[in-house]
């Protein structure tokens, strides 16, 4: 059977300053009469949600507000939102927030459209049953307020499965938002560390999808195109997005973090998040993301700066980027040209550098990049010790859907070494 | 009202060697029981159609074959295909060919799904009524066999309106194929001039969409997002595709033309055609395309080499590229950076060159590029004289839907000068 790739990069993205104002007209064009607006209790006071509420009142949109989304959602917080959605019997959804809000809204839309389904039915195997979604969902308009997850472009919803202390999720094209409203003005309110950590998520989306196992080396080939996974491996279409996002990151991430008022930089990072999302939503991510789930899930007492939450938290972007130097040192030998190319885009001088050193060169480039952006010095700095490594490895195993896209095969021992090498990064 | 852009680049593209084999399974997954296969009488003997027929018989797909598509279709040839489609009462369409075949199939699908409609109802104003398409069309799978039109990614179908001797078309998102099957092996059969002319179409799609009026300078802004045109002006999303296509053209077009067996080059050009299609299908094209329609429509006796047709023909790609040096000299002053950037991608050394010369620099770069690809020396070489210019200008006026996206406003006198300057290009 032939190796082929299908471009899943089909999100509708609306971009522009003040674009959120149009959202009520889109809802009316969709015939929506009973809208669910989802956000979290901090955002509800901020300009992005205010813009939506103003648009709703101006166009007399009938809606109910759900502002109890949990930052880094759990199965429990998903279920609470799902119950709200089931009771509300909504005909359209609007999610205003970061990945936590958009992912929670995707789950609420999915399960309220499948009221008979058990929660585990659609959750990724092996934790859940990974059943395909066959019912049509309600329209969902996603308004991202962080520049990180790219959730407005993907069919993925991630959450902490509490009793396993592991992140897992739901992955289906059916979950992809109908429309993403990307308003550069929405990121001006982002606190410094939130802007930084969101940017690290974009960085890893771009680097992991660009270095992911190529689509034509994935095996087995699906015998029927309907069985092709959403994460297909790197391909000529995702490569365009991943590389373009890297160029924007190299030029604008530091500016966007250091100066919240730098509209050009924050606006560019907002688009980079969308572009990287289209790339990885098509190609997939691998080890940094697979290993990040236990790093976030097993958090002890670490409280991230600039996050207004009442629980310990290793923000997703931080949990992803802390292992990146170790991961790309490990994957370098499998596609050295791509590692060198990425390093060059991020500012490294690769002239006369050896292919054998590609992984190390990208890793050193990342260390410099992260140090300049005040990233904590490894897993140790967010509260982990060597004694936690077995649990971190154990929490990575269920992420095979993601980690199998790594360009280099790996054993539990390899994962142990990668966590060990990430305890300290500078 | 705010200036925003919506990404219409939503085609599903399947890419890979031998991907056409999967097509029958897609039709089965769509529940198709009665398929219309459209192609032309030359292609019907060639490998791309053979691959589809083999797949059909292997999976027992019930289909009817229509092989009377006209190269550079007319209202008459569209109507003949529409009648076939209406009689056949098909539940899915497969178009195997270049833009002529895919565009004809789009029209057949549109009018057989709207049997009561008059032919002019959906044709672009001012020639037609430009009515919006409100009915759902049948699934259409497009299998491009040339690397030019990008028709598999767009909602546009172009034809010669014979009694006006002008090209016009139908433009609606509803026409966009459900799935594009991009098989690099399908372009190996392309004769040299067909590969060249198709490449020139890609070249102009990329250059025109990259230099098109920016989305936030288009006016008036639609008061409702539903009224936003398919051609929205250059924007941060189309720019990615247009520039990427230019890079591929610069690297591979000459190789793809000179050596039909160069799989890497022909495969890359096949993707460049898709990428440029996503770009211009979103941003639009302008003067080269607007002026090309009368150049093709008013053809007298010119017979293009390597085209097996029984009528005089200036191939679309040739009719588009012949005016490009004059057009980009004219538009240069409006966005000099983009003209310089395009020239640099196509191989010009722009160090220490003046912004004021941007248009001339791109024009000279194009002249060199076209000369090396044995392009006829201007409109004179395809049979036109100065006396034809008034008719060429008159034929360009109805193309305002396209030409209004030019970055520089223009009068009939400007158009006259552009045609005059294109009589001879070297």
């Amino acid at each position: 059977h032939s190796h082929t790739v299908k471009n899943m990069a089909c999100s509708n993205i609306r971009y522009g300053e003040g674009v959120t104002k149009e959202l009520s007209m889109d809802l009316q064009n969709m015939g929506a009469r009973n809208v669910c607006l989802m956000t979290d209790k901090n955002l509800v006071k901020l300009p992005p949600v205010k813009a939506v509420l103003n648009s709703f009142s101006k166009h007399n949109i009938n809606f109910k507000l759900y502002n109890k989304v949990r930052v880094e959602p759990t199965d429990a917080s998903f279920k609470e939102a799902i119950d709200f959605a089931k009771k509300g019997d909504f005909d359209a959804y609007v999610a205003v927030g970061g990945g936590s809000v958009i992912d929670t809204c995707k789950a609420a839309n999915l399960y309220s459209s499948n009221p008979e389904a058990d929660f585990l039915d659609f959750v990724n195997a092996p934790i859940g049953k990974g059943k395909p979604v066959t019912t049509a969902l309600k329209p969902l308009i996603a308004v991202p307020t962080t520049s990180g997850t790219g959730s407005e472009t993907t069919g993925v919803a991630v959450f902490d499965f509490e009793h396993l202390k592991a992140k897992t999720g739901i992955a289906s094209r059916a979950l992809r938002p109908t429309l993403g409203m990307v308003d550069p003005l929405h990121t001006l309110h982002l606190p410094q560390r939130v802007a930084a950590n969101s940017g690290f998520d974009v960085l890893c989306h771009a680097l992991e999808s660009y270095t992911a196992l190529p689509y034509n080396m994935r095996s087995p080939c699906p015998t029927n195109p309907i069985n092709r996974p959403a994460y297909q491996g790197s391909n000529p279409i995702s490569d365009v997005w991943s590389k373009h996002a890297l160029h924007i990151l190299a030029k604008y991430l530091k500016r966007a973090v250091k100066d919240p008022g730098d509209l050009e930089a924050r606006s560019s990072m907002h688009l980079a998040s969308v572009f990287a999302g289209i790339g990885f939503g098509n190609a997939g991510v691998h080890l940094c993301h697979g290993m990040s789930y236990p790093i976030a899930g097993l958090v002890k007492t670490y409280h991230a700066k600039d996050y207004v939450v009442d629980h310990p938290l290793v923000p997703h972007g931080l949990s992803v980027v802390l292992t990146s130097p170790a991961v790309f040192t490990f994957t370098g030998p499998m596609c050295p040209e791509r590692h060198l190319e990425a390093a060059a885009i991020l500012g490294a001088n690769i002239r006369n550098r050896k292919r054998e050193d590609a992984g190390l060169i990208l890793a050193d480039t990342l260390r410099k990049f992260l140090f300049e952006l005040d990233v904590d010095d490894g897993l140790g700095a967010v509260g982990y010790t060597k004694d936690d490594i077995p649990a971190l490895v154990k929490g990575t195993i269920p992420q095979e859907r993601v980690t199998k896209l790594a360009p280099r095969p790996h054993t539990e021992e390899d994962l142990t070494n990668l966590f060990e090498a990430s305890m300290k990064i500078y």
Side-chain angles (χ1 to χ4, degrees), chain A:
Chain A
H1 194 76
S2 62
H3 280 287
T4 63
V5 63
K6 185 172 178 183
N7 176 15
M8 300 302 170
C10 299
S11 289
N12 275 316
I13 296 297
R14 184 93 45 85
Y15 172 77
E17 294 187 13
V19 64
T20 316
K21 286 183 299 187
E22 294 183 1
L23 171 143
S24 294
M25 284 184 280
D26 286 293
L27 289 166
Q28 286 166 337
N29 295 338
M30 293 169 181
R33 290 187 159 53
N34 179 24
V35 176
C36 176
L37 170 61
M38 285 209 173
T39 187
D40 68 41
K41 61 181 188 313
N42 306 311
L43 274 158
V44 78
K45 307 169 224 135
L46 296 173
V49 174
K50 287 223 173 68
V52 172
L53 293 172
N54 291 339
S55 173
F56 280 0
S57 63
K58 183 178 168 207
H59 294 85
N60 306 309
I61 300 290
N62 174 40
F63 73 99
K64 285 201 180 58
L65 172 69
Y66 183 83
N67 64 4
K68 299 202 197 120
V69 168
R70 177 187 159 102
V71 177
E72 307 299 324
T74 63
D75 48 342
S77 75
F78 264 20
K79 285 172 182 164
E80 191 183 351
I82 290 163
D83 291 338
F84 181 85
K86 283 181 172 174
K87 289 196 190 72
D89 186 28
F90 302 106
D91 54 17
Y93 292 82
V94 175
V96 184
S100 301
V101 171
I102 299 172
D103 287 6
T104 300
C105 197
K106 287 173 180 174
N109 188 5
L110 172 63
Y111 287 95
S112 59
S113 305
N114 293 272
E116 304 311 318
D118 176 78
F119 181 71
L120 285 178
D121 284 354
F122 300 117
V123 172
N124 296 325
I127 291 177
K129 299 208 190 86
K131 286 188 186 171
V133 178
T134 54
T135 52
L137 273 55
K138 299 287 194 286
L140 191 170
I141 299 180
V143 185
T145 60
T146 63
S147 305
T149 64
S151 181
E152 65 280 3
T153 72
T154 73
V156 177
V158 176
F159 65 94
D160 286 311
F161 198 61
E162 285 182 301
H163 85 260
L164 288 186
K165 283 192 169 293
K167 285 230 179 189
T168 181
I170 305 164
S172 164
R173 279 161 232 158
L175 264 62
R176 182 181 290 114
T178 318
L179 177 62
M181 291 265 188
V182 179
D183 185 338
L185 300 178
H186 283 176
T187 63
L188 297 178
H189 71 281
L190 284 181
Q192 193 164 61
R193 293 326 295 170
V194 179
N197 292 326
S198 308
F200 301 144
D201 196 17
V202 178
L203 177 66
C204 289
H205 288 156
L207 289 172
E208 290 174 71
S209 55
Y210 193 54
T211 57
L213 191 70
Y215 75 99
N216 53 2
M217 289 171 60
R218 201 182 71 236
S219 65
C221 293
T223 53
N224 184 314
I226 210 168
N227 300 325
R228 184 169 288 116
Y231 285 178
Q232 307 169 86
S234 60
N235 61 74
I237 291 167
S238 62
D239 288 347
V240 178
W241 293 113
S242 308
K243 248 194 293 190
H244 187 61
L246 265 188
H247 279 285
I248 302 176
L249 280 155
K251 184 171 180 188
Y252 289 111
L253 180 56
K254 287 173 196 169
R255 277 175 54 181
V257 171
K258 308 253 183 240
D259 176 5
D262 187 335
L263 180 60
E264 182 190 352
R266 291 223 162 178
S267 177
S268 300
M269 279 305 303
H270 213 26
L271 274 175
S273 167
V274 173
F275 295 162
I278 301 175
F280 92 83
N282 182 348
V285 283
H286 55 83
L287 288 167
C288 297
H289 270 75
M291 295 166 67
S292 78
Y293 299 134
I295 293 170
L298 298 173
V299 60
K300 300 167 184 174
T301 60
Y302 183 78
H303 282 77
K305 187 164 170 298
D306 291 348
Y307 287 76
V308 192
V309 290
D310 51 14
H311 52 86
L313 174 72
V314 180
H316 175 64
L318 183 60
S319 70
V320 166
V321 85
L322 288 175
T323 58
S324 61
V327 163
F328 294 109
T329 306
F330 177 73
T331 55
M334 309 309 286
C335 45
E337 293 75 11
R338 286 182 176 234
H339 286 68
L340 284 173
E341 201 180 352
I345 294 171
L346 293 174
N349 175 0
I350 60 168
R351 224 175 291 140
N352 317 324
R353 301 300 300 269
K354 297 204 203 69
R355 290 170 81 261
E356 306 87 271
D357 300 335
L360 283 167
I361 293 164
L362 178 52
D364 288 341
T365 309
L366 285 168
R367 286 192 186 89
K368 180 167 179 295
F369 195 78
L370 301 184
F371 184 79
E372 290 169 355
L373 281 159
D374 309 316
V375 174
D376 303 80
D377 189 7
L379 298 177
V382 298
Y384 290 104
T385 70
K386 279 192 156 33
D387 305 343
D388 301 308
I389 292 180
L392 290 167
V393 172
K394 186 162 167 293
T396 305
I397 306 302
Q399 307 304 330
E400 201 229 343
R401 184 186 66 91
V402 173
T403 53
K404 73 181 177 195
L405 282 159
R408 180 171 174 176
H410 47 275
T411 62
E412 292 196 22
E413 193 187 344
D414 293 321
L415 292 175
T416 302
N417 297 336
L418 290 172
F419 280 115
E420 235 169 65
S422 304
M423 280 295 162
K424 203 170 178 329
I425 55 184
Y426 305 125

